[in-house]
């Protein structure tokens, strides 16, 4: 207290422990950062190291048996594991198709609302509701809609004179059913980000463009899209990262079936670890997923200069 | 004459464009709301009416039977309470530490470009798919005998919410003018005091938005809870719901009731905080 020259009239004056306080004040930049860094170190570095360790071992489901060192064996298995290849392909198909549809619909909807009904915040919030709901509730809702016997979707098909389908239970439609449910839940997220981006567009370039007689189509391509580019980049990055880890929808709607058509990487890792009781191999697949995600997103962020 | 026709034609076109835009928005609204309505409607139907073909668009004989079943005869209230406690615990931890770290990264300088490196590292931990960290976390909690505890869930969820909170708050503080804090320091306040008395009150909307998102993410989380908890005493609402979809039977009425009840707090919450929600997310995400 005595030595603290910078302590003025604020409430800190009345607190005891001046020496310690002064020390804390001098190292504030580290002290404020420390809890977060320490927690994240413990919760990410430890699991990562542990994963590397587990990935080079064959771990018996019997906890009394020692781990058997297999070196790169688990990674070599990836090359010849047909189920892994199926899961990888399904994940890529899901990610590309779902994120593309979500992006187009979300951007389109944002443009419509921005141009035609700007002030209705209430309406915007209604349109954003799906992204806030528990994915498990979303999965169950769509399970009910897709139900082949009494589901409402088949009722609509019947009314329209179209053939009834098994939807999530059909080999050819299962992935499509998952994608529809995901699009329903996550288009609002893209919509929200695009709406925020549109709200922050400057007005002047558009006035200038209108004076030059540029069509609204030209204005969209030459002004709106370039302005929105950083927002678009972030929206896509976040959605792709989430799509790569899809689990809940598949777990409830199809369980990975029929005939492995919706088996995605997260579900496969879950099955390997807990159903086939092979955590060592599951760790190897997880590392593969982690590696791909980090490489992809780092490359993307560098490219889009998002990390500054 | 010619100009008048042209004028009239473009007005018709404008009206048509407007109408089709409204129509598109209406379709989007119906598609957004119908599934929510449908799960709500089914939660109020007797089993026999859930299975009716053609389906009952409106519950003819509304009943609270499934709510009674889920919340009185089965432990859904316990699940909901667990979800709530875990969500609040995670949010408090993430927002408190995330705000401090976010402030530090927004305002202080560090040697050797640490600021950029640490910021990026923190964000990169958010990229880790949960399934990746599940096996080590499971073994970790097993070792410390923390499986089936709510603290284990809070710890696991914090791993995902803390990076998010840090980044949201960092971009929020970067948006606030630094001059006010400098003035406070000139007036004799400490750096910590300037943070507490000047920056923190100004950052309230950002804090609200961050807290809202942490709450929603934790309330909705499924995978980690599925692995870490196996007992009724510790399981969360999403797990309780999923547990009623069994290999042999799906208890439609009961899971509709529980599923709808899991959505209700989130939706009410979303409307109460809608202003913060849009502003918060757009700030956090758009500014990166």
């Amino acid at each position: 207290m005595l030595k603290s020259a910078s302590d003025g009239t604020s409430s800190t004056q009345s607190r005891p422990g001046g020496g310690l306080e002064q020390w804390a004040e001098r190292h504030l930049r580290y002290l404020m950062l420390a809890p977060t860094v320490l927690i994240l170190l413990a919760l990410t570095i430890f699991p990562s190291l542990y994963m590397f360790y587990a990935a080079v071992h064959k771990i018996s489901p019997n906890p009394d048996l020692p781990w058997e060192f297999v070196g790169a064996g688990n990674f070599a298995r990836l090359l010849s594991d047909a189920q892994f290849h199926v899961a990888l392909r399904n994940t890529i198909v899901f990610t590309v198709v779902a994120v593309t549809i979500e992006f187009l619909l979300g951007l389109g909807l944002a443009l419509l609302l921005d141009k035609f009904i700007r002030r209705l915040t209430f309406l915007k919030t209604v349109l954003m509701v799906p992204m806030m709901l528990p994915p498990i509730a979303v999965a169950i809702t769509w399970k009910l809609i897709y139900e082949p016997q009494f589901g409402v979707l088949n009722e609509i098909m019947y009314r329209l004179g179209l053939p009834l389908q098994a939807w999530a239970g059909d080999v050819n439609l299962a992935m499509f059913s998952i994608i529809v449910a995901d699009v329903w839940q996550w288009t609002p997220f893209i919509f929200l980000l695009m709406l925020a981006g549109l709200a922050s567009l400057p007005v002047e370039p558009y006035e200038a463009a209108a004076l030059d007689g540029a069509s609204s189509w030209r204005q969209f391509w030459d002004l709106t899209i370039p302005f929105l580019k950083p927002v678009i980049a972030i929206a896509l990055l976040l959605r792709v990262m989430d799509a790569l880890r899809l689990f809940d929808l598949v777990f409830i709607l199809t369980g990975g079936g029929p005939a492995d058509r919706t088996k995605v990487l997260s579900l496969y890792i879950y099955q390997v670890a807990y159903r086939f009781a092979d955590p060592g191999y599951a760790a190897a697949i997880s590392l593969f997923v982690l590696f791909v995600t980090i490489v992809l997103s780092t490359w993307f962020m560098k490219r889009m200069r998002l990390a500054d | 004459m010619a100009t008048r026709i042209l004028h009239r034609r473009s007005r018709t076109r404008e009206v048509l464009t407007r109408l089709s835009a409204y129509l598109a928005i209406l379709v989007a609204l119906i598609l957004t709301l119908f599934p929510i309505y449908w799960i709500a409607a089914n939660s109020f139907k007797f089993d026999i009416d859930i299975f009716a073909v053609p389906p009952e668009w409106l519950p003819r004989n509304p009943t609270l039977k499934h709510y009674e079943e889920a919340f009185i005869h089965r432990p859904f209230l316990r699940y909901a309470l667990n979800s709530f406690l875990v969500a609040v615990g995670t949010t408090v931890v993430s927002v408190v530490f995330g705000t401090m770290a976010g402030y530090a990264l927004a305002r202080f300088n560090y040697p050797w470009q640490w600021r950029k490196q640490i910021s990026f590292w923190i964000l990169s931990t958010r990229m880790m798919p949960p399934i990746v960290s599940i096996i080590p976390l499971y073994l970790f909690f097993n070792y410390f005998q923390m499986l089936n505890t709510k603290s284990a869930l809070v710890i696991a969820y914090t791993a995902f919410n803390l990076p998010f909170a840090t980044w949201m708050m960092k971009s929020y503080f970067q948006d606030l003018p630094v001059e006010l804090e400098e003035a406070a320091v000139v007036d004799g306040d400490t750096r910590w005091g300037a943070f507490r008395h000047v920056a923190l009150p100004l950052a309230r909307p950002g804090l609200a938005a961050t807290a809202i998102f942490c709450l929603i993410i934790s309330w909705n989380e499924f995978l980690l809870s599925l692995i870490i908890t196996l007992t009724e005493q510790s399981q969360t609402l999403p797990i309780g719901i999923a547990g009623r979809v069994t290999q042999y039977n799906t208890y439609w009425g009961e899971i509709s009731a529980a599923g709808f009840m899991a959505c209700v707090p989130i939706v009410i919450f979303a409307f109460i905080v809608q202003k913060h929600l849009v502003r918060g997310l757009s700030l956090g995400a758009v500014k990166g």
Side-chain angles (χ1 to χ4, degrees):
Chain A
M1 197 78 261
L2 293 167
K3 286 174 281 178
S4 122
S6 66
D7 253 4
T9 52
S10 76
S11 61
T12 44
Q13 200 172 25
S14 55
R15 275 188 227 139
L20 186 67
E21 203 170 293
Q22 208 183 23
W23 178 85
E25 175 74 13
R26 232 179 315 124
H27 296 91
L28 194 60
R29 72 189 58 186
Y30 300 107
L31 290 175
M32 286 182 85
L33 200 54
T36 295
V37 169
L38 291 178
I39 292 173
L40 289 178
L41 272 177
L43 291 178
T44 60
I45 299 289
F46 163 74
S48 309
L49 293 177
Y50 202 89
M51 292 281 286
F52 279 108
Y53 186 67
V56 292
H57 285 85
K58 170 104 193 112
I59 304 170
S60 164
N62 181 349
D64 296 331
L65 290 177
W67 292 14
E68 180 196 336
F69 181 77
V70 291
N74 284 326
F75 294 99
R77 256 175 86 182
L78 288 176
L79 296 173
S80 57
D81 180 355
Q83 292 213 58
F84 167 71
H85 296 160
V86 167
L88 183 61
R89 213 198 55 204
N90 286 339
T91 304
I92 294 172
V93 168
F94 169 79
T95 303
V96 171
V97 178
V99 175
T100 307
I101 299 176
E102 284 156 18
F103 174 68
L104 294 177
L105 286 179
L107 178 61
L109 204 55
L111 287 168
L112 274 181
L113 258 89
D114 188 59
K115 194 160 162 49
F116 293 102
I117 22 183
R118 231 186 157 147
R119 263 182 277 156
L120 288 174
T121 354
F122 179 80
L123 195 62
K124 291 172 191 167
T125 313
V126 171
L127 285 170
M128 284 169 206
V129 161
M131 71 175 220
M132 289 172 255
L133 302 182
I136 207 74
V138 172
I140 279 165
T141 307
W142 284 92
K143 199 175 166 73
L144 189 62
I145 291 172
Y146 287 141
E147 220 292 326
Q149 266 92 48
F150 55 88
V152 70
L153 188 54
N154 266 350
E155 169 68 14
I156 294 168
M157 295 292 280
Y158 177 74
R159 294 264 172 105
L160 294 174
L162 295 167
L164 306 186
Q165 305 290 352
W167 302 114
D170 184 284
V171 188
N172 296 314
L173 292 171
M175 183 52 96
F176 169 80
S177 305
I178 302 268
I179 289 174
V180 168
D182 194 76
V183 164
W184 181 80
Q185 179 158 36
W186 291 110
T187 299
F189 178 71
I190 306 261
F191 164 72
L192 165 61
L193 289 193
M194 295 303 140
L195 212 53
L198 288 173
S200 62
L201 290 186
V203 186
E204 296 82 15
Y206 287 88
E207 285 168 351
L211 275 178
D212 291 346
S215 66
S216 44
W217 188 242
R218 272 253 75 84
Q219 292 182 24
F220 173 72
W221 277 114
D222 294 346
L223 294 173
T224 310
I225 292 291
F227 274 127
L228 284 184
K229 212 178 115 189
V231 197
I232 293 176
I234 298 212
L236 290 180
L237 178 71
L238 292 173
R239 276 312 302 144
V240 165
M241 274 162 53
D242 276 351
L244 290 176
R245 62 174 78 130
L246 169 78
F247 183 83
D248 315 23
L249 268 182
V250 175
F251 187 77
I252 291 295
L253 270 181
T254 63
D260 287 348
R261 286 300 175 95
T262 58
K263 182 181 272 188
V264 287
L265 283 170
S266 297
L267 189 77
Y268 185 51
I269 294 171
Y270 174 79
Q271 289 177 339
V272 170
Y274 296 96
R275 193 148 357 124
F276 312 146
D278 193 350
Y281 185 45
I285 311 172
S286 304
L287 277 180
F288 171 84
V289 176
L290 180 62
F291 178 75
V292 171
T293 314
I294 287 182
V295 167
L296 257 182
S297 38
T298 312
W299 170 79
F300 192 76
M301 286 176 69
K302 287 258 151 72
R303 222 192 114 99
M304 294 289 166
R305 298 175 200 291
L306 295 178
D308 296 341
Chain B
M1 191 66 188
T3 48
R4 239 175 79 194
I5 290 171
L6 199 70
H7 185 69
R8 206 201 286 151
R9 213 198 258 151
S10 69
R11 267 213 58 178
T12 325
R13 232 183 98 179
E14 198 191 305
V15 169
L16 276 178
T17 321
R18 211 155 249 285
L19 273 180
S20 39
Y22 290 148
L23 195 69
I25 292 166
L26 186 70
V27 170
L29 268 178
I30 293 173
L31 289 178
T32 300
L33 290 177
F34 179 76
I36 302 170
Y37 165 73
W38 196 237
I39 198 138
N42 277 287
S43 73
F44 294 115
K45 291 177 191 170
F46 284 101
D47 280 332
I48 190 158
D49 297 327
I50 293 177
F51 298 123
V53 180
E56 263 179 30
W57 299 100
L58 270 170
R60 210 171 344 130
N61 276 320
T63 170
L64 288 173
K65 176 175 163 286
H66 298 302
Y67 288 88
E68 196 192 317
E69 177 66 33
F71 291 95
I72 294 172
H73 303 304
R74 296 199 42 81
F76 278 91
L77 219 51
R78 175 86 241 169
Y79 296 143
L81 183 68
N82 289 342
S83 277
F84 176 77
L85 293 174
V86 170
V88 170
T90 306
T91 304
V92 170
V93 174
S94 305
V95 170
V96 168
F97 292 139
T99 303
M100 291 204 296
Y103 182 79
L105 289 171
R107 287 285 187 260
F108 295 133
N109 284 313
Y110 294 90
W112 307 300
Q113 290 226 313
W114 270 14
R115 195 216 313 240
K116 214 174 150 179
Q117 304 297 342
I118 293 180
S119 299
F120 188 75
W121 172 69
I122 290 178
L123 187 65
S124 75
T125 60
R126 184 68 180 79
M127 291 171 197
M128 189 185 274
I131 190 80
V132 171
S133 39
I134 271 182
I135 295 162
L137 281 178
Y138 177 86
L139 297 166
F140 175 84
F141 291 131
N142 191 20
Y143 182 80
F144 288 103
Q145 307 207 324
M146 285 175 74
L147 288 177
N148 300 318
T149 64
K150 286 186 271 293
S151 345
L153 285 180
V154 170
I155 293 172
Y157 291 2
T158 299
F160 296 93
N161 279 301
L162 187 52
F164 169 77
T166 306
W167 266 73
M168 286 266 293
M169 292 315 295
K170 171 176 172 269
S171 52
Y172 206 90
F173 284 123
Q174 276 169 344
D175 268 15
L176 296 177
V178 69
E179 289 76 19
L180 292 167
E181 290 148 61
E182 284 168 356
V185 173
V186 169
D187 286 350
D189 209 344
T190 57
R191 283 298 287 136
W192 173 254
F195 164 70
R196 277 276 316 275
H197 308 130
V198 181
L200 211 51
L202 286 174
R204 272 218 298 263
L207 276 171
T210 308
I212 291 159
F213 280 103
C214 290
L215 276 173
I216 293 179
I217 294 169
S218 320
W219 177 263
N220 290 349
E221 207 286 331
F222 178 69
L223 183 56
L224 290 165
S225 182
L226 179 69
I227 308 287
I228 294 172
T229 58
L230 290 168
T231 61
E232 225 167 67
Q233 287 309 306
S234 60
Q235 278 174 335
T236 57
L237 195 52
I239 308 300
I241 298 171
R244 300 305 281 164
V245 182
T246 67
Q247 216 173 335
Y248 309 101
N249 201 351
T250 300
Y251 299 86
W252 285 113
E254 207 183 304
I255 57 171
S256 299
F260 183 57
M261 283 315 291
C263 297
V264 167
I266 296 284
V267 174
I268 294 176
F269 192 55
F271 278 92
I272 295 174
V273 297
Q274 59 173 336
K275 223 172 65 198
H276 294 313
L277 200 74
V278 178
R279 190 174 149 63
L281 187 64
S282 47
L283 261 177
V286 175
K287 298 275 166 65

